Amino acid sequence: MNQTELENRAEDVLASLRSKINQVIPLIELLSKFNGNMNELKKVACYLEEWGYGITLTSTDICLTSIPDILSDIEIKNSLSTEFIGNDIACYGSVKSTNDIAKENAENGARHGTVIIADQQTKGRGRFGRVWHSPPGCGASISIILRPDFLPENAPSLSLIIALALVETLNEYCSGHARIKWPNDVLLEEKKTAGILTELSADKNKINYLIVGIGININQSAEDFDDEIKDIATSVRIIKGKKINRAELVGRFLSQFEKEYIEYSENLLLNSLDRLRKYSSLVGETVSLSLGKKIITGKVVDINPDGSLVVDQNGERISLTCGEVTVIKK
Ligand code: BTN
């Protein structure tokens, strides 16, 4: 068996064993299914063990005892139900920034929906030139390459669509706790759990490609956050009180994102607006935001159909299209 054959066989064996985790399966059953031999199966078992799977192989039986928390394409694809997002997935251990890799791949012609994922980033980038912390084994750093048909002016609101998909995914784990902090953050119990950084390459009327970068804090415990962010950041694990299978969460998120993306491509925010308002952490809050040299302070009263935030400042309604909002505590 060459490496590709080994990988394909490992994928098939895993697909058979996954639904019967902790059950002892007679080898004869498995070998007949794959028309394989014992020697091959030993190699497959070794290969899977190297990836962290728990496998017990005897001369008569095989048993899958555990599935590792790894961000591999096999594990992500197991939770993926999409048409085009994630048809190509490249998974990395440690990289500087997945957005940089995605940009390079996009320049070299990568397909619409290509996903780049890393376990760790050493130079993860956030908005406003900030650093995005992504230590190993904790979160997921994801970049998706999109080649949309919509106009460049519709690119910024896509962040809200990503946030919507994130909220709906995180709510499957932390029922009803997730909120969108317009325009780019997702919060659990008022602390940041995910951030979005979109980068655009466009001509006047046409998007060449859009890179959407998403960082999700999944399995961090409180000690994993640096001092500077420990009071404002949280993770799914902290809120749920339990470790999460990261690949499963990523697969579910990408599946949800594809649905939201198709909807956005067809109708922009028309059918998403109610949910954006419902999940907003800002509607009803008093906030401040700097707009050029001016500081706007007022109450958030709505989100417009174009995704802009409506702030009431002393009776005057101001629509904000970008920026970073600070909530003023009462
Ligand atoms: C923010 O909250 O300021 C945005 C954070 C975006 C982080 C993600 S992680 C994947 C992608 N690669 C990066 O370097 N940044 C984005």
Side-chain angles (χ1 to χ4, degrees):
M1 256 195 307
N2 64 32
Q3 186 63 20
T4 313
E5 285 165 347
L6 178 63
E7 284 168 16
N8 291 341
R9 182 55 58 90
E11 205 166 329
D12 293 343
V13 167
L14 207 51
S16 285
L17 297 182
R18 196 186 285 279
S19 59
K20 296 177 182 161
I21 188 158
N22 284 325
Q23 289 176 37
V24 176
I25 313 295
L27 283 186
I28 195 150
E29 200 182 290
L30 199 69
L31 289 173
S32 65
K33 203 168 180 178
F34 298 120
N35 203 12
N37 62 43
M38 189 60 187
N39 212 12
E40 279 176 5
L41 203 53
K42 276 187 187 156
K43 285 187 187 154
V44 166
C46 278
Y47 175 80
L48 289 173
E49 276 170 346
E50 277 168 24
W51 277 97
Y53 293 87
I55 303 268
T56 309
L57 180 66
T58 69
S59 55
T60 52
D61 308 299
I62 186 163
C63 180
L64 174 68
T65 55
S66 63
I67 293 168
D69 176 32
I70 49 167
L71 293 172
S72 66
D73 62 339
I74 294 185
E75 286 304 314
I76 292 166
K77 282 183 175 162
N78 185 51
S79 304
L80 198 65
S81 50
T82 55
E83 277 170 36
F84 54 90
I85 299 286
N87 281 352
D88 293 331
I89 300 186
C91 297
Y92 294 85
S94 178
V95 298
K96 284 184 180 165
S97 159
T98 52
N99 265 28
D100 292 347
I101 297 178
K103 190 171 177 215
E104 202 179 308
N105 289 6
E107 293 285 348
N108 290 328
R111 279 201 283 178
H112 177 58
T114 298
V115 176
I116 313 292
I117 299 201
D119 181 59
Q120 177 189 24
Q121 292 182 123
T122 52
K123 284 207 169 125
R125 290 187 278 113
R127 292 168 74 218
F128 308 113
R130 293 191 192 120
V131 170
W132 176 261
H133 299 263
S134 22
C138 296
S141 299
I142 308 164
S143 297
I144 309 171
I145 300 169
L146 298 170
R147 299 187 185 276
D149 288 332
F150 51 73
L151 293 169
E153 69 205 42
N154 294 319
S157 315
L158 193 69
S159 292
L160 291 171
I161 289 307
I162 301 160
L164 195 55
L166 277 168
V167 160
E168 302 225 303
T169 307
L170 296 188
N171 277 342
E172 289 175 26
Y173 292 84
C174 307
S175 45
H177 283 71
R179 291 277 171 274
I180 299 169
K181 180 167 178 259
W182 181 96
N184 286 59
D185 292 346
V186 174
L187 313 180
L188 282 172
E189 297 191 349
E190 295 179 30
K191 291 187 174 182
K192 183 154 168 172
T193 312
I196 300 157
L197 176 71
T198 46
E199 295 177 314
L200 177 71
S201 160
D203 299 329
K204 196 160 165 272
N205 290 317
K206 190 182 176 316
I207 295 178
N208 299 322
Y209 61 82
L210 189 61
I211 308 290
V212 295
I214 304 122
I216 319 175
N217 298 331
I218 305 176
N219 278 334
Q220 281 90 340
S221 50
E223 307 80 65
D224 291 315
F225 293 111
D226 286 0
D227 282 351
E228 71 212 70
I229 57 168
K230 72 172 194 292
D231 294 333
I232 52 167
T234 193
S235 71
V236 183
R237 177 187 181 177
I238 292 172
I239 302 301
K240 194 173 167 64
K242 198 174 151 218
K243 273 188 109 175
I244 306 297
N245 183 294
R246 290 178 296 157
E248 184 182 295
L249 188 151
V250 169
R252 287 186 187 186
F253 159 66
L254 293 173
S255 308
Q256 187 65 32
F257 171 62
E258 184 179 279
K259 284 191 207 144
E260 304 291 355
Y261 177 83
I262 292 170
E263 171 60 37
Y264 186 74
S265 305
E266 286 168 5
N267 299 309
L268 297 177
L269 294 179
L270 188 70
N271 297 319
S272 318
L273 202 56
D274 285 348
R275 285 177 301 146
L276 287 172
R277 289 172 176 144
K278 173 175 141 195
Y279 294 134
S280 171
S281 71
L282 296 181
V283 173
E285 297 288 338
T286 302
V287 300
S288 79
L289 171 132
S290 40
L291 199 63
K293 284 184 182 156
K294 278 204 300 192
I295 303 277
I296 308 281
T297 303
K299 189 171 171 181
V300 177
V301 288
D302 202 3
I303 295 172
N304 277 326
D306 66 357
S308 55
L309 194 73
V310 188
V311 176
D312 183 315
Q313 181 174 249
N314 303 324
E316 184 196 356
R317 290 197 164 205
I318 302 166
S319 294
L320 305 167
T321 51
C322 60
E324 192 175 43
V325 174
T326 307
V327 175
I328 301 175
K329 295 277 172 211
K330 289 160 204 153

